[in-house]
Amino acid sequence: MTTLVLHRGSLRANPYERWLADHGEKIVLLASAEQLALFGEELPTEAPYLHAEALTGYDTGPHVAERAAELVERFGVTDVVACQEFDIERAAALRERYGLPGQRPGSALVYRDKWRMKQAAVRARIPVADHALLRSADDLGAFADRHGLPLVVKPRRGALSVGVSVLRTAEELAGWLRTAEIAGPDGEPQWLAEVFVEGSMCHIDGTVLDGQIATLWPSQYQYALADYRDRKGRVDIALDTADPLARR
């Protein structure tokens, strides 16, 4: 059994050889050269790695998917692992092409395309902020006229909050339009506008032991997420047991 790992980030923080040790699998690694340089890391050379290489232009280049397919065929890959947002669709396409187990493009698209994601949520009657797909600059102005400021603009297929902006004034809106490419190279809309939702942001941390939830508790961020002008400490604090929001 051989696993192809599509990797972006730190190898020290992602010990695939330990994670896959119980399965006795050999590993083929395709990594981001930029990320390895950022973390000052080298490619692994010892077992269980059969092969490891790094490519430049990893986040956006079509050559990454092409090289991944070559590695699947060369090493007889039986599984594909992808832990980063940029790799979800790549991995799904490889699984479908080669009949490998795991997520396929139909569901992967909903995780990566925020427009499709919101449509799926609406169909499931899950409340989401009012939003619009921007097909032209006029669409953003019309959205602001309907909903007012501030509003949020975000890449349709972004990751890690890169490119997300909160437009609080007419001047910021006009400035954003001067620099944004509304359509991608294929002519498809690549930006969404959303109503800005006031309020605190919480998240849930938990652990699973033997397939069962062992711990589960919410914490509240103490800074504004996705707002890179906010220079407060990047901390969060667990909610008190008496806080009604904790139980909710």
Side-chain angles (χ1 to χ4, degrees):
M1 306 289 281
T2 302
T3 297
L4 171 65
V5 174
L6 303 177
H7 174 75
R8 182 188 187 280
S10 166
L11 283 169
R12 282 189 292 270
N14 294 271
Y16 300 108
E17 68 283 355
R18 179 159 58 84
W19 291 345
L20 296 171
D22 291 346
H23 300 277
E25 301 211 6
K26 300 179 180 66
I27 301 173
V28 175
L29 180 74
L30 185 60
S32 162
E34 293 89 349
Q35 290 285 305
L36 287 179
L38 178 65
F39 289 99
E41 296 177 347
E42 301 290 336
L43 289 168
T45 57
E46 299 178 354
Y49 289 93
L50 273 182
H51 175 83
E53 66 179 85
L55 297 179
T56 58
Y58 184 89
D59 289 349
T60 57
H63 63 295
V64 178
E66 295 165 3
R67 181 56 178 158
E70 292 172 358
L71 293 175
V72 169
E73 296 178 5
R74 175 181 169 187
F75 291 99
V77 164
T78 53
D79 294 281
V80 180
V81 167
C83 295
Q84 300 294 327
E85 290 176 275
F86 291 97
D87 289 318
I88 289 176
E89 287 185 275
R90 287 174 179 157
L94 288 169
R95 295 185 191 109
E96 182 159 271
R97 177 175 175 179
Y98 293 102
L100 304 178
Q103 188 179 50
R104 299 300 175 91
S107 63
L109 180 63
V110 181
Y111 283 91
R112 290 291 297 124
D113 185 328
K114 293 179 176 63
W115 173 245
R116 299 289 188 93
M117 183 188 299
K118 289 180 182 297
Q119 289 180 314
V122 169
R123 288 194 299 270
R125 299 182 180 180
I126 298 171
V128 296
D130 288 339
H131 57 280
L133 187 62
L134 301 181
R135 302 182 186 279
S136 70
D138 291 341
D139 288 344
L140 183 58
F143 188 84
D145 289 341
R146 290 196 305 274
H147 298 285
L149 298 174
L151 59 80
V152 180
V153 285
K154 61 176 60 175
R156 180 177 176 178
R157 301 171 83 94
L160 308 172
S161 294
V162 174
V164 176
S165 296
V166 180
L167 308 179
R168 303 179 184 276
T169 66
E171 291 73 21
E172 289 182 351
L173 189 150
W176 186 85
L177 282 173
R178 283 195 296 270
T179 59
E181 294 287 342
I182 299 297
D186 57 359
E188 278 291 303
Q190 58 181 359
W191 291 93
L192 267 70
E194 283 186 6
V195 168
F196 182 82
V197 178
E198 294 281 358
S200 60
M201 179 72 75
C202 298
H203 66 92
I204 308 295
D205 283 322
T207 57
V208 175
L209 180 64
D210 296 329
Q212 300 295 319
I213 294 174
T215 64
L216 193 68
W217 200 255
S219 299
Q220 181 175 315
Y221 292 105
Q222 302 300 300
Y223 59 95
L225 279 77
D227 186 346
Y228 296 103
R229 295 170 298 183
D230 179 354
R231 297 303 178 188
K232 298 176 184 176
R234 266 29 192 173
V235 296
D236 44 22
I237 298 176
L239 296 183
D240 189 85
T241 54
D243 190 325
L245 185 60
R247 293 300 169 185
R248 177 182 165 192

